[in-house]
Amino acid sequence: MRVPALSVTLLLAALLAFGSEVLVWQNPLGRAPLDWLPLAAGYLALAALELDFIARYRIRDLFGLLTLSGLISLTGALCLHPDTAFADLPRTLATRVMGAHALLAAEMLGLFLVLTGDSVRLRKRLGWGCVVVGLAWGVWAAPWSAEEGYAIVSLPTLLLWGAGGVLLLVLLLRWAARSRVAQDDLCLPRLGMLGALAVLGALLAAHILRGALANEPLIFTALLGTLCWAILWYRGRATGATLLDGRLPPQPPGRGLLIAAGVLFFGAAIFGYNLPAFEVGGVTPFRFIGLGFTAYGLAWLPGVSLVLGVGGYLRQMSAQKL
């Protein structure tokens, strides 16, 4: 990875961190200042690998995006937050790793594509995305989450962390917009690949040494991660379109659109946080979001595998002479 790609990599790393640490709310208030240094290095390594895989394997569609986001989530669960990711196997593997974190990783990559490209079609959906994600974030962090064993966070604290994260993203986006990065710049050289893997390996080793990881999460994530990588490798090609086409150098939205998106996001979050306690069929909004995370975690990998498998079979059949 060349120097011009650093700004783009930092932007994606900040998005991944914002999704996993703030939107999923990993209780960032409970982290010591020095705890953020290995986390920052880990998210930067994950972002560098994610961009490298998009360019290297020519990832080009929703199925590739979901698979790559799942692989990033599995790696992040092992190397960055194993304490919460594997607190109650196999439940939290489905609800948190393959569910909440994988979904947020996919959403943050999607937001990265919206912020760096000039697609009118995608930017028209930005407002709806801000409303849905903001509402879910507010409900997820609302006081009734304490009934499920989650730490209570006040609305001003939540908004402060959210505003700080958004401000950082805007600054990084402006820096990335001034870069002259090309897609080929994102492919990591051998030394860069070894460096990213070394950072993640060191974080993983530290968690193993302090006893935060047992054999079961290592086996589960290794199997699922290998499957995700195999899908990306199998669908990879030397040339062709990718998700990053038309997005490098970045072409960020105008100031007015960014302000409107921020207003919608924080407005929806405030509304969701202040919703009165109610149930529909015995399900609270908080549990509804949790069920959504679980459903996504259980469905996306089998769904991707099934669709790609059926598509490959049909292509093979159509190539044969009747």
Side-chain angles (χ1 to χ4, degrees):
M1 180 178 293
R2 301 187 179 102
V3 173
L6 179 60
S7 60
V8 176
T9 307
L10 283 171
L11 174 61
L12 181 57
L15 283 166
L16 293 175
F18 186 70
S20 283
E21 300 295 329
V22 179
L23 295 184
V24 178
W25 195 254
Q26 295 267 53
N27 192 25
L29 294 170
R31 299 191 188 278
L34 290 179
D35 292 341
W36 289 99
L37 295 179
L39 277 177
Y43 280 116
L44 184 61
L46 286 177
L49 290 174
E50 188 166 19
L51 291 171
D52 173 271
F53 276 30
I54 294 175
R56 186 181 303 274
Y57 295 118
R58 316 301 295 179
I59 296 174
R60 57 197 176 275
D61 54 21
L62 177 63
F63 302 117
L65 184 150
L66 295 179
T67 306
L68 178 59
S69 299
L71 178 59
I72 292 299
S73 174
L74 287 163
T75 308
L78 278 179
C79 302
L80 301 182
H81 37 80
D83 298 291
T84 56
F86 307 113
D88 182 21
L89 285 176
R91 181 182 63 85
T92 51
L93 179 64
T95 60
R96 298 179 185 179
V97 182
M98 301 294 283
H101 289 287
L103 177 59
L104 265 297
E107 290 177 354
M108 292 302 101
L109 179 55
L111 180 57
F112 174 85
L113 299 178
V114 171
L115 293 177
T116 56
D118 60 354
S119 172
V120 176
R121 177 177 59 87
L122 288 178
R123 288 183 175 173
K124 284 183 178 179
R125 299 176 182 175
L126 179 60
W128 286 109
C130 288
V131 170
V132 171
V133 175
L135 180 63
W137 181 47
V139 171
W140 189 248
W144 53 27
S145 63
E147 299 177 4
E148 304 294 332
Y150 290 84
I152 297 178
V153 54
S154 67
L155 181 59
T157 300
L158 188 73
L159 295 178
L160 182 62
W161 276 89
V166 169
L167 177 60
L168 176 61
L169 292 173
V170 170
L171 294 175
L172 289 173
L173 180 61
R174 293 187 61 183
W175 179 28
R178 294 195 295 268
S179 68
R180 297 185 177 182
V181 60
Q183 192 161 170
D184 291 341
D185 297 330
L186 302 176
C187 289
L188 292 169
R190 182 175 301 178
L191 187 60
M193 179 68 73
L194 290 175
L197 294 176
V199 169
L200 295 174
L203 294 173
L204 175 60
H207 292 307
I208 293 175
L209 289 175
R210 68 180 180 87
L213 280 169
N215 292 331
E216 289 82 1
L218 289 171
I219 294 172
F220 279 127
T221 51
L223 291 175
L224 293 172
T226 300
L227 176 58
C228 291
W229 175 81
I231 292 173
L232 297 176
W233 175 82
Y234 176 76
R235 302 187 73 224
R237 52 186 180 175
T239 59
T242 78
L243 294 171
L244 298 174
D245 289 351
R247 293 177 169 84
L248 298 175
Q251 304 172 61
R255 183 178 302 176
L257 182 56
L258 289 176
I259 293 175
V263 170
L264 290 173
F265 174 73
F266 286 109
I270 294 171
F271 178 80
Y273 188 94
N274 288 298
L275 276 177
F278 67 92
E279 294 184 0
V280 177
V283 178
T284 66
F286 179 86
R287 290 186 178 179
F288 178 77
I289 295 173
L291 290 173
F293 286 149
T294 303
Y296 179 83
L298 293 173
W300 74 263
L301 185 53
V304 168
S305 302
L306 178 62
V307 170
L308 295 180
V310 171
Y313 176 76
L314 292 177
R315 285 193 298 270
Q316 185 179 14
M317 291 295 294
S318 64
Q320 294 179 354
K321 294 182 178 180
L322 297 178

